[in-house]
Amino acid sequence: MIDRYLVAILFPLLLFAACRSDGDGDVFALEVSYGGGYSPVVSGLYTLAPSDDGESVVFLHREVDIHDITVEFERTYPRVELEDLYRTLLTNDVWKLPSSESRTVTDQHTYTVIVRAGDREHTFSVYGPRHNPDERYWNVISPLLELGDEVGPPEEYRLTMRAEGGLSKLEYSLHTAVLLPRHSHLVIEEKERSGGVKIHEWDVPRSAAQRLYIVLDLSDFWELGDSRAAEKIVTDIPTYTFTLALGDRSHCFSVYAPTFDPDPRYGEIVRAVYGFAGEAESD
């Protein structure tokens, strides 16, 4: 009889090994595409792409909406941080699930799942996995949705960009972008030096506001501070002040002539806000 303490040691090790492979000793990749149904999202894709040595995994999520706007983001994880996710995939038979045509509800996405490891590949499709009688389908899909929520843009935020000073004909201009759970909008307020104030407001696709936040995140918005480095390069350019609020968290900084600043991140943020405004005005 195997000593019970030996069993206690071996079982976790065997489980750990199982969640690192597909059963043949290879770390596997996953691709989940979806589309169809009644949704503002036309198509989407989740992928898990392990490194050659299996020590890290790149997670990617991409969506294209009815406005033909693409939102894409990715993050690289140490493989150990995704062990629970891989364990869930394996325990729910991701390598064996057949396609399912069960339709208990209407207007849902159809998901196509492809699992790959070396020369081995398995594909299946499922309509509306959350509502499928076989819970394994939703158990495979839902961890990817949760990972996308963790990595991607927040459900809501508020960004303001105020430009003033320099030789501009305006005393100031103020761009306010707001993302909310069900919609987003942009308000532009401009005050002329003569005293007149113009205010314009547009509803904007949520995907456009999400994409704007991704630029802010990639530009390290939360770490940036005040800068007047461009004063050595140009004169008579407005100073921009940015404020980003997300729940109880907020951050503010000012930068003179951001597109001339030696740190390109300031210019990237300004261009992203003006690009967002351009989308709103042309919609």
Side-chain angles (χ1 to χ4, degrees):
M1 178 179 294
I2 299 177
D3 188 280
R4 59 178 179 174
Y5 296 110
L6 183 58
V7 171
I9 294 172
L10 288 177
F11 181 75
L13 292 176
L14 291 172
L15 184 60
F16 179 78
C19 73
R20 291 185 62 82
S21 71
D22 66 358
D24 290 340
D26 295 321
V27 174
F28 61 87
L30 186 72
E31 178 180 304
V32 179
S33 57
Y34 56 94
Y38 183 74
S39 169
V41 176
V42 175
S43 63
L45 176 71
Y46 293 99
T47 64
L48 292 173
S51 60
D52 291 340
D53 63 8
E55 294 305 315
S56 62
V57 178
V58 177
F59 169 74
L60 177 143
H61 182 205
R62 178 190 304 132
E63 282 191 340
V64 180
D65 72 359
I66 56 176
H67 304 281
D68 201 30
I69 297 175
T70 299
V71 176
E72 179 177 310
F73 49 90
E74 66 177 46
R75 178 183 294 178
T76 299
Y77 287 88
R79 177 56 189 265
V80 68
E81 292 187 17
L82 297 183
E83 294 296 353
D84 286 345
L85 186 152
Y86 273 89
R87 184 183 296 113
T88 298
L89 297 177
L90 289 169
T91 57
N92 286 278
D93 302 321
V94 71
W95 281 101
K96 301 175 183 178
L97 281 172
S99 293
S100 173
E101 294 298 326
S102 175
R103 291 174 178 258
T104 58
V105 293
T106 60
D107 301 325
Q108 300 294 303
H109 288 316
T110 295
Y111 289 77
T112 299
V113 180
I114 303 175
V115 195
R116 297 188 180 94
D119 296 331
R120 186 182 180 193
E121 181 176 304
H122 176 62
T123 302
F124 65 89
S125 295
V126 57
Y127 171 83
R130 182 194 294 268
H131 305 281
N132 194 286
D134 189 336
E135 294 181 353
R136 293 178 298 172
Y137 291 104
W138 181 238
N139 291 341
V140 166
I141 300 299
S142 60
L144 298 172
L145 275 63
E146 293 172 5
L147 202 59
D149 290 340
E150 173 189 314
V151 177
E155 278 292 296
E156 54 187 282
Y157 72 83
R158 180 185 182 91
L159 172 73
T160 62
M161 181 181 79
R162 182 183 179 95
E164 57 189 330
L167 293 180
S168 171
K169 67 178 182 179
L170 299 174
E171 182 176 328
Y172 70 82
S173 66
L174 179 66
H175 288 64
T176 303
V178 179
L179 173 66
L180 297 169
R182 295 188 177 277
H183 70 282
S184 65
H185 62 270
L186 169 70
V187 179
I188 298 179
E189 178 181 330
E190 297 177 326
K191 183 178 181 180
E192 298 178 350
R193 294 191 182 277
S194 60
V197 176
K198 296 180 180 179
I199 298 177
H200 306 279
E201 184 170 358
W202 298 267
D203 288 328
V204 185
R206 289 193 77 251
S207 52
Q210 290 174 324
R211 190 168 59 182
L212 173 59
Y213 183 86
I214 290 172
V215 174
L216 302 179
D217 192 42
L218 291 175
S219 300
D220 302 318
F221 186 99
W222 296 101
E223 284 73 47
L224 289 174
D226 298 341
S227 176
R228 300 197 69 83
E231 284 183 327
K232 301 176 182 178
I233 303 171
V234 293
T235 59
D236 301 322
I237 305 293
T239 295
Y240 288 70
T241 300
F242 297 88
T243 303
L244 178 60
L246 198 169
D248 295 332
R249 185 184 184 191
S250 65
H251 182 58
C252 178
F253 62 84
S254 294
V255 55
Y256 171 77
T259 57
F260 292 93
D261 194 280
D263 188 334
R265 294 175 296 180
Y266 293 108
E268 289 168 2
I269 291 172
V270 169
R271 285 189 288 271
V273 174
Y274 282 133
F276 177 71
E279 289 185 67
E281 294 170 356
S282 63
D283 206 17

